[in-house]
Amino acid sequence: MNRTEIADALEKIRKRIQRAADKAGRNPEEIRIVGVGKTVPVHRIEAAIEAGILIIGENYIKEVREKFEHLSRLPVSLHFIGHLQSNKSKYAVRMFDLIHSVDSLKLAEELNREAEKIAKIQDILIQVNVAEEKTKSGVRVEETLSLARSIGSLPHVRVRGLMAMPPFFDLPEKARPYFKIVRDLSRAASEAIPGVLMEELSMGMSGDFEAAVEEGATLVRIGTALFGGRS
Ligand SMILES: *Cc1c(COP(=O)(O)O)cnc(C)c1O
């Protein structure tokens, strides 16, 4: 997609978010779009930023390191949304404002160590494997609270909420029950764990973001609907 097409696509996504928010009685300003930049060349990411995208989400440390020199000069917040290996924590804390995909204490401890070295408090989300799919990362629903509690004691990591990716369905309505589970889990965690306030819910992608917004998403991660198909 070219510049104009990306700007048009963003406009359409915004309208759909607005409609979903209205339907649920939510303020649309509570919902932020994370433009998913994996495999997308920087000139197209730049077009999205010019059109008003404020956050770019990336999946692969190697790819972001290649794009970083360019991306770091743009007025955009970078989020990490892919599977993170602990040995890449050093790069992650240097490049990302929010890491959506923390799913083990070991990874959180490594992030804590690396964040301390650069005097940063790293914001993170806990990724929940809400349908317990073997092919997906994330902590199990019933282990989420105990992981949040343990991470809550690390001084250089701050839990800001949860992230989830339900199974892919042709009908987005089928993803809705999973979004509800994550929302309820986030409320339960905020109530049960002193000092942990789950304000962010990262859920919803190109195919199902309206259902996610209706169920409480604050961050929707949109790739193809914004940038077109990936090669
Ligand atoms: C690729 C990706 C997305 C975006 O998917 P689309 O269907 O292209 O919108 C969102 N979240 C994660 C974790 C992804 O890997």
Side-chain angles (χ1 to χ4, degrees):
M1 294 212 271
N2 65 31
R3 224 156 256 276
T4 322
E5 288 166 332
I6 290 173
D8 289 348
L10 180 58
E11 196 48 42
K12 289 204 183 88
I13 294 164
R14 285 227 173 93
K15 289 216 174 89
R16 288 168 62 187
I17 289 175
Q18 177 121 29
R19 227 175 291 137
D22 286 348
K23 203 169 150 192
R26 298 186 61 201
N27 177 355
E29 284 169 23
E30 291 171 8
I31 300 127
R32 295 181 294 157
I33 302 170
V34 179
V36 174
K38 63 175 175 240
T39 79
V40 178
V42 279
H43 68 272
R44 279 160 68 207
I45 292 179
E46 209 166 342
I49 295 167
E50 276 170 23
I53 276 284
L54 301 171
I55 308 169
I56 290 293
E58 289 282 354
N59 287 67
Y60 307 107
I61 294 289
K62 183 170 176 290
E63 182 183 346
V64 202
R65 287 184 72 197
E66 286 158 8
K67 292 167 161 180
F68 190 68
E69 201 187 318
H70 194 147
L71 289 178
S72 62
R73 280 189 252 118
L74 301 173
V76 73
S77 172
L78 295 179
H79 289 189
F80 190 75
I81 63 171
H83 177 67
L84 184 60
Q85 292 166 284
S86 329
N87 63 2
K88 302 277 164 59
S89 294
K90 172 174 75 178
Y91 304 113
V93 300
R94 282 167 174 77
M95 297 193 290
F96 298 104
D97 295 325
L98 181 66
I99 297 170
H100 292 221
S101 47
V102 175
D103 62 358
S104 72
L105 186 57
K106 176 173 177 267
L107 173 58
E109 285 171 340
E110 202 51 43
L111 290 168
N112 184 63
R113 221 179 334 268
E114 293 297 339
E116 183 174 13
K117 286 184 195 163
I118 58 168
K120 178 184 185 184
I121 293 178
Q122 178 66 56
D123 282 340
I124 63 143
L125 305 180
I126 293 178
Q127 181 175 354
V128 184
N129 187 352
V130 64
E132 301 194 356
E133 294 169 276
K134 290 206 173 60
T135 53
K136 283 192 184 142
S137 0
V139 68
R140 295 158 65 96
V141 170
E142 57 272 26
E143 288 164 357
T144 306
L145 260 64
S146 87
L147 180 60
R149 200 172 273 120
S150 308
I151 297 178
S153 69
L154 301 173
H156 287 271
V157 170
R158 180 168 55 187
V159 181
R160 301 291 315 280
L162 301 178
M163 183 271 232
M165 204 181 342
F168 176 81
F169 297 106
D170 290 329
L171 287 175
E173 271 314 304
K174 292 191 179 163
R176 188 184 295 269
Y178 295 100
F179 294 140
K180 280 193 212 264
I181 292 172
V182 184
R183 181 199 57 206
D184 291 346
L185 191 56
S186 133
R187 287 196 183 144
S190 287
E191 282 168 18
I193 311 170
V196 168
L197 191 56
M198 300 258 175
E199 293 171 309
E200 302 287 356
L201 270 182
S202 168
M203 53 189 201
M205 320 199 327
S206 293
D208 58 15
F209 67 87
E210 283 138 312
V213 166
E214 286 171 31
E215 298 307 329
T218 62
L219 292 162
V220 291
R221 309 178 310 268
I222 313 275
T224 45
L226 180 63
F227 291 113
R230 285 181 287 272
S231 43

